[in-house]
Every structure is written in structure tokens, then in C-alpha cells.
Amino acid sequence: MHICKTIDEFRNFRHTVSEKKVIFVPTMGALHEGHGSLVQMARRLAGSSGVVATSIFVNPTQFGPNEDFHKYPRPFEQDVANLIRWEADVIFSPSPEEMYPAGSATSIDPGPLGNVLEGAIRPGHFKGVCTVVAKLLGIVEPAAMILGQKDFQQQRILRQMITDLNMPVELITAPTARESDGLAMSSRNRYLSSDQRARAAAIYRALCHAQNQYHSGIRDSAVLQAGMIEQITQAGLEVQYALACDPETLVPYTGIVGAPCVLLIAAKLGTTRLIDNVLIS
Ligand code: AMP
């Protein structure tokens, strides 16, 4: 396993594999089996002759001033052990100063998709995400990048950025990995008490319930949304949004919900925010 802490170190490594197909999985670390499913997919796509590149970087510019940047878990040794187990080849894990040296001033505006849903609650979040991912793509130069559907809006916005900025990379969206009760795996799940952890499963139950309603012919957005809100609220979570949206525009359906459709939920348990979604195509 190669561990590169600086951009120069990574570029030197990259030079030694310039002829090989590089598949990239960016992360913020605190890795779980959801990340593992992405890295293992990268391994399959790269084959034994290709390179699986990962990054571990808790990106300060995508956290708001009152968010969990400082308390975000950073179990680096454990992450390395997991990445060895999942057969990654290289880890790029720069410091914030390496990525944002004094004087760095350029950022990427994600456009209107960055202002809705997560972007409405976390102003500036997607500007930080786009900027860091553009920088990482410029450093890693992968043929393909794998992102999780778990962060639906993120993969939608980054797909738009790659198109709009003519970036020579294929974007692959991988399915959401879940715990046995359906809770989407997340680094933030470790913040939950055991009582909160049990309640958190209501998010996926609410998504599945609305998906079943949709498949049984219920297409009224108000009915689907009210059903999700009721289920989550009953479990003691605070709903931030529970919407049926167009997966391309991320605009919530009003009236009749069309196809395709993505059901998106954000909810809080104490101070922990959880998001999840189900795509109906
Ligand atoms: P993060 O470390 O939270 O920034 O996530 C890194 C990547 O892993 C992102 O593309 C996420 O969408 C993806 N990811 C996080 N959780 C899951 C999950 N439960 N299933 C699949 N992908 C995930």
C-alpha cells in the first residue's frame, strides 16, 4: 500500500503507473463497509493490472462553521487496515494546508443544484465539495471515479461539474450499502446512542413505505411526503425534508409524482444529521 501525504508524492507515484487504468474513490475516512463496497467495485473495474486510488481527506471547506469538522472521526490506522483488506493500491491523505495553502483563492460554483435540499440547509457545502473534488481529480487523474448513491445530490452535482468543465473522467454511482435493519451506513452513525441507533432505521422504513405506495399507484406527492414525515416523526426524529424529487433537476414534484423519481430524506437525531434516498426509475 502506498500512502502519499503530499501532492508531489502522489504525482511521483502516478507517474510510475501512467500507462495503467486508475479508478478513484474519494472519501473523508472513518471508513465503513459502504466505502468498502465502492473500493471493491473499483478493484473489480481496475482488474489486477489497474490501480485503485483512494483519498482520505476531511475537507474543511465543505463544513459550515457550526458543523462537525473538528469532531469528525479520523481513525487513520484503522482506515489503512480496511483499505488493505479491500485491496486498494494507494491512499492520498493530504493535510488541509497541503490542499489549501495560504493564498489559494479559487473555488467552483456548483450552480443552482447546489442551493437546494442539502445546499439550502448547508450553505456553501457543495461549493466546498466541487472545489475539493476538482482538485483531487486534477491530482489523481483517474479514468473513472466511484461515488455512492447515499449522497444523491452530491453525485448529481459532481456529474454536472464533470460535464460542464469537460473533465475527462467517467463517473460511476454505486448503490447504498445498508445495515441489516436498512439504515444507510455512514461515518456519522457512530455518533448515535444505542437508543438513537434503533430509531434511525425509521428513515429507510419511511422511504420503503413511500416506494411501496408509489408502486401500488399512489402518486400524490402530498400523500407520499406526509407519509414519510409521519413515520420519521413517530420514531422521534426531527425531519428536515422528506420529498419526492426529479432526479435530474432535484425539483420536488408537486401534485402528481412522475417517473423517474428520487425520494430524499434528511432528519436529525439529537445533533446528528442523517440523509438517505431511494431512486424509483
Ligand atoms: P464520505 O467519506 O462520507 O465523504 O463518503 C465517501 C464516498 O462514499 C461518497 O461517494 C459517499 O457517497 C460514499 N458512501 C458513503 N456511505 C455510503 C454507503 N452507505 N453506501 C455506499 N456509498 C457510500
Side-chain angles (χ1 to χ4, degrees), residues 186-241:
S186 165
S187 306
R188 291 189 169 97
N189 291 351
R190 67 186 72 191
Y191 298 153
L192 301 172
S193 68
S194 59
D195 173 60
Q196 290 174 330
R197 170 64 192 79
R199 292 166 186 271
I203 297 175
Y204 187 57
R205 274 204 307 276
L207 288 167
C208 289
H209 180 70
Q211 183 180 32
N212 290 338
Q213 284 182 312
Y214 181 97
H215 286 312
S216 71
I218 298 172
R219 300 288 161 87
D220 182 335
S221 62
V223 172
L224 295 172
Q225 287 163 193
M228 291 192 283
I229 291 169
E230 189 187 336
Q231 293 215 351
I232 306 164
T233 310
Q234 264 179 9
L237 285 79
E238 179 196 330
V239 183
Q240 291 195 316
Y241 57 79

Side-chain angles (χ1 to χ4, degrees), residues 163-181:
T163 303
D164 291 348
L165 300 185
N166 310 97
M167 293 175 160
V169 60
E170 180 191 354
L171 196 161
I172 298 162
T173 302
T176 302
R178 300 183 178 282
E179 304 288 354
S180 55
D181 63 358

Side-chain angles (χ1 to χ4, degrees), residues 3-280:
I3 300 178
C4 304
K5 298 266 182 193
T6 67
I7 296 166
D8 279 350
E9 275 169 36
F10 189 90
R11 289 214 161 116
N12 287 338
F13 166 82
R14 184 70 182 83
H15 196 64
T16 67
V17 296
S18 56
E19 301 301 312
K20 297 187 176 178
K21 181 175 183 181
V22 175
I23 314 279
F24 178 44
V25 180
T27 82
M28 298 202 300
L31 303 178
H32 48 69
E33 297 297 324
H35 297 111
S37 66
L38 271 52
V39 176
Q40 287 166 311
M41 178 187 280
R43 181 76 275 161
R44 285 194 299 277
L45 292 173
S48 53
S49 61
V51 173
V52 175
T54 62
S55 61
I56 296 178
F57 181 58
V58 186
N59 174 35
T61 67
Q62 71 188 68
F63 286 78
N66 299 316
E67 293 184 355
D68 55 348
F69 173 70
H70 291 290
K71 83 163 192 182
Y72 200 84
R74 291 165 171 85
F76 188 71
E77 297 308 319
Q78 207 179 310
D79 287 345
V80 173
N82 278 324
L83 288 168
I84 291 171
R85 182 162 64 89
W86 298 324
E87 299 183 76
D89 297 306
V90 58
I91 305 169
F92 177 51
S93 64
S95 65
E97 296 73 30
E98 178 73 7
M99 289 298 273
Y100 302 105
S104 61
T106 305
S107 58
I108 292 184
D109 178 352
L113 293 174
N115 297 329
V116 299
L117 302 168
E118 288 301 286
I121 295 169
R122 307 180 68 188
H125 171 67
F126 289 114
K127 178 176 160 186
V129 169
C130 285
T131 305
V132 78
V133 172
K135 285 168 72 69
L136 289 168
L137 290 174
I139 296 162
V140 177
E141 298 185 76
M145 170 169 70
I146 304 181
L147 300 174
Q149 188 195 314
K150 156 81 168 40
D151 297 279
F152 189 87
Q153 187 176 8
Q154 172 172 272
Q155 60 83 40
R156 173 68 191 90
I157 287 173
L158 292 173
R159 189 176 296 281
Q160 192 69 46
M161 177 185 82
I162 286 166
T163 303
D164 291 348
L165 300 185
N166 310 97
M167 293 175 160
V169 60
E170 180 191 354
L171 196 161
I172 298 162
T173 302
T176 302
R178 300 183 178 282
E179 304 288 354
S180 55
D181 63 358
L183 176 65
M185 291 181 181
S186 165
S187 306
R188 291 189 169 97
N189 291 351
R190 67 186 72 191
Y191 298 153
L192 301 172
S193 68
S194 59
D195 173 60
Q196 290 174 330
R197 170 64 192 79
R199 292 166 186 271
I203 297 175
Y204 187 57
R205 274 204 307 276
L207 288 167
C208 289
H209 180 70
Q211 183 180 32
N212 290 338
Q213 284 182 312
Y214 181 97
H215 286 312
S216 71
I218 298 172
R219 300 288 161 87
D220 182 335
S221 62
V223 172
L224 295 172
Q225 287 163 193
M228 291 192 283
I229 291 169
E230 189 187 336
Q231 293 215 351
I232 306 164
T233 310
Q234 264 179 9
L237 285 79
E238 179 196 330
V239 183
Q240 291 195 316
Y241 57 79
L243 294 166
C245 296
D246 180 312
E248 276 297 297
T249 63
L250 303 180
V251 173
Y253 283 108
T254 53
I256 300 297
V257 175
C261 151
V262 60
L263 303 168
L264 295 151
I265 290 179
K268 280 180 88 172
L269 262 166
T271 54
T272 305
R273 277 191 90 238
L274 300 173
I275 58 170
D276 199 357
N277 67 85
V278 163
L279 182 62
I280 306 174

